[in-house]
């Protein structure tokens, strides 16, 4: 793609629209950082759903986080429009849905967006913006897709994800644990991204036998707490269950201080990768080229991961389920979000254990080298 010169005059107020899930919103932070560095005097606001705003807490590149409910009422729409209408010089639309385009059109006279391909529904949306890039759902990682928007407005690319940051007065005793520990996040939003409960139990027991305290993380939803509790009941009392007990920023702090993190294809796994901790990510039907966790210190225009096979890039160890159809990039074997994925269920605890040992042994060697120096 041809990179454009900086906008002239530079925008004084920029709105970035990201009405997606938690992990998707985290993946816009390299774009936001790029905009902030290119237009340092600009006010940059971000519009997100109310239940994802926490992933941007403490982000130094953002002036204001504007939220809207997932299912707004008429009163919600009126309130949001009053906050947006012609308040900005530039709207950056990071997705192809209808609502983001309407909000962008209302918010600013100049707009840049990701648009559907010409042969897809919604291709007309490119006529509502001055600059656009076509959405690629298969061969371009989401971070790189979004950075194409930075190219269009003359902002040099910055590839760094920014995890949320908790104010000092919100720290807890849990976050200052001195023992070696590993964080396991077992619950993705959708069933088709789940591994097996038996697999999680065996993995947690192996970590304990390897000298790591085990911390189970999870969100506040009742079904998620119940799922984590099922696993916790099968483990020793020393395992710490924090499901529903931490904020997102506290969880980021906790994960960042761990020896390692293990999780499925979920927003918290993207968050873990952004902290720099060694991450073991379990992937099945999801295409790693598009949706693998973005590795720390990865600064390249090339996709970090291939479609097939177990892989490691920097701090991310991706373990992929085995099946002829992997990655199908579909919602499970029954093509719905609550179906199972046989490829994920085929991942053995032995594959996870092998990677755990690799990480622990590598850390031990690094410590020995440091002591020798």
């Amino acid at each position: 793609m041809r990179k454009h010169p900086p906008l002239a005059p530079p925008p004084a107020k920029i709105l970035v629209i990201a009405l997606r899930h938690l992990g998707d919103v985290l993946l816009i932070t390299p774009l936001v950082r790029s905009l902030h560095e290119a237009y340092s005097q600009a006010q940059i606001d971000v519009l997100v759903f109310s239940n994802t705003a926490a992933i941007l807490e403490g982000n130094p590149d953002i002036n204001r986080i504007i939220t809207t409910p997932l299912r707004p009422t008429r009163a919600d729409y009126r309130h949001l429009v009053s906050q947006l209408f012609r308040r900005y010089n530039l709207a950056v639309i990071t997705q192809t849905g209808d609502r983001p385009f309407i909000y962008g059109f209302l918010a600013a006279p100049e707009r840049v967006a990701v648009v559907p391909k010409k042969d897809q529904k919604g291709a007309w949306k490119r006529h509502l913006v001055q600059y656009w890039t076509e959405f690629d759902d298969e061969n371009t990682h989401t971070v790189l897709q979004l950075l194409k928007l930075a190219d269009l407005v003359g902002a040099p690319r910055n590839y760094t994800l920014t995890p949320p940051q908790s104010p000092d007065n919100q720290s807890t005793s849990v976050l200052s644990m001195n023992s070696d520990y590993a964080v396991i996040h077992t619950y993705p939003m959708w069933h088709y991204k789940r591994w097996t409960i038996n697999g999680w139990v065996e993995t947690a027991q192996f970590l304990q036998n390897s000298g790591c305290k085990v911390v189970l993380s999870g969100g506040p939803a009742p079904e998620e707490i119940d799922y984590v509790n099922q696993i916790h009941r099968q483990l020793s009392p020393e395992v710490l269950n924090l499901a529903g007990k931490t904020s997102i920023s506290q969880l980021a702090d906790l994960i960042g201080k761990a020896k390692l993190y293990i999780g499925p294809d979920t927003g918290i796994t993207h968050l873990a990768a952004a902290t720099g901790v060694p991450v073991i990510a379990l992937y099945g039907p999801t295409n790693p080229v598009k949706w693998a966790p973005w590795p720390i210190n990865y600064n390249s225009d090339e996709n970090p991961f291939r479609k097939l096979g177990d892989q490691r890039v920097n701090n991310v160890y991706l373990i992929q389920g085995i099946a002829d159809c992997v990655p199908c990039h579909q919602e499970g074997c029954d093509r719905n979000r609550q179906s199972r994925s046989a490829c994920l269920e085929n991942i053995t605890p032995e594959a996870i254990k092998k990677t755990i040992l690799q990480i622990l042994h590598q850390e031990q060697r690094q410590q020995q080298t440091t002591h020798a120096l």
Side-chain angles (χ1 to χ4, degrees):
M1 170 184 292
R2 182 172 64 89
K3 295 189 178 183
H4 291 236
L7 298 177
K13 297 184 69 177
I14 301 172
L15 177 68
V16 180
I17 301 171
L19 300 175
R20 298 291 302 273
H21 298 302
L22 198 72
D24 306 289
V25 175
L26 179 65
L27 296 182
I28 73 165
T29 57
L31 167 63
V32 174
R33 172 66 58 84
S34 301
L35 293 170
H36 177 73
E37 291 181 343
Y39 301 105
S40 59
Q41 301 305 310
Q43 172 183 323
I44 300 179
D45 297 347
V46 180
L47 172 62
V48 296
F49 287 131
S50 305
N51 64 347
T52 66
I55 202 72
L56 300 177
E57 181 182 359
N59 189 306
D61 303 314
I62 297 173
N63 293 92
R64 181 186 176 205
I65 301 171
I66 302 171
T67 63
T68 183
L70 189 61
R71 295 177 179 82
T73 63
R74 288 185 179 180
D76 293 325
Y77 279 124
R78 287 195 295 269
H79 178 65
L80 180 60
V81 169
S82 70
Q83 295 182 81
L84 301 182
F85 189 72
R86 287 301 183 260
R87 299 290 181 93
Y88 297 90
N89 306 105
L90 174 68
V92 181
I93 305 166
T94 67
Q95 57 202 112
T96 61
D98 292 348
R99 272 196 287 174
F101 271 80
I102 293 171
Y103 295 150
F105 182 79
L106 294 173
E110 198 159 24
R111 298 170 292 276
V112 57
V114 178
V115 301
K117 294 181 179 179
K118 284 187 175 181
D119 59 350
Q120 294 177 339
K121 181 180 178 181
W124 53 268
K125 291 172 182 173
R126 65 190 64 202
H127 300 297
L128 294 181
V129 299
Q130 285 80 11
Y131 315 98
W132 51 263
T133 180
E134 287 189 345
F135 177 64
D136 179 0
D137 196 32
E138 184 176 0
N139 297 311
T140 305
H141 192 281
T142 301
V143 167
L144 297 178
Q145 176 84 77
L146 295 172
L147 286 176
K148 290 182 179 182
L149 297 174
D151 297 339
L152 292 171
V153 295
R157 293 184 175 194
N158 186 303
Y159 302 86
T160 304
L161 268 68
T162 305
Q165 302 173 36
S166 175
D168 292 340
N169 60 3
Q170 288 190 6
S171 64
T172 70
S173 59
V174 170
L175 303 182
S176 57
M177 293 190 307
N178 294 321
S179 59
D180 293 335
Y181 64 92
V183 177
I184 297 179
H185 190 90
T186 63
Y187 190 88
M189 179 179 294
W190 308 118
H191 193 287
Y192 77 95
K193 296 183 178 183
R194 289 185 195 172
W195 195 34
T196 65
I197 287 180
N198 289 340
W200 289 122
V201 170
E202 189 171 337
T203 298
Q205 291 171 338
F206 180 80
L207 279 165
Q208 286 188 290
N209 294 336
S210 301
C212 277
K213 185 178 181 67
V214 174
V215 178
L216 301 178
S217 66
E223 61 272 19
E224 185 164 354
I225 292 174
D226 288 345
Y227 185 86
V228 177
N229 285 342
Q230 288 184 58
I231 296 168
H232 189 231
R233 284 192 293 267
Q234 300 180 55
L235 298 170
S236 68
E238 290 77 19
V239 173
L240 185 60
N241 182 359
L242 293 183
K245 299 177 182 177
T246 64
S247 68
I248 294 294
S249 57
Q250 288 174 334
L251 182 56
D253 192 11
L254 179 72
I255 292 172
K257 296 173 182 175
K259 272 191 171 296
L260 60 92
Y261 164 95
I262 309 173
D265 172 22
T266 183
I268 302 303
T269 300
H270 290 285
L271 171 61
T275 70
V277 71
V279 168
I280 302 175
L282 280 58
Y283 270 54
T286 304
N287 179 5
V289 171
K290 184 69 182 175
W291 289 110
W294 189 258
I296 197 76
N297 297 327
Y298 187 83
N299 303 305
S300 172
D301 293 333
E302 299 295 324
N303 295 315
F305 290 93
R306 309 181 305 273
K307 279 189 179 181
L308 291 173
D310 294 351
Q311 306 162 62
R312 178 196 172 186
V313 180
N314 297 352
N315 66 320
V316 177
Y317 299 73
L318 190 141
I319 296 179
Q320 189 179 59
I322 299 174
D324 292 339
C325 54
V326 170
C328 65
H329 208 38
Q330 301 292 328
E331 294 178 338
C333 297
D334 298 328
R335 302 297 188 262
N336 70 79
R337 291 174 172 177
Q338 299 307 321
S339 75
R340 60 187 283 270
S341 292
C343 56
L344 267 174
E345 295 175 359
N346 289 338
I347 295 177
T348 65
E350 284 67 32
I352 313 301
K353 295 174 188 178
K354 181 179 177 181
T355 308
I356 290 171
L357 289 177
Q358 181 182 348
I359 292 170
L360 295 180
H361 290 165
Q362 180 178 355
E363 183 181 25
Q364 187 178 37
R365 289 193 296 269
Q366 289 174 344
Q367 291 175 346
Q368 291 171 347
T369 301
T370 301
H371 290 154
L373 295 175

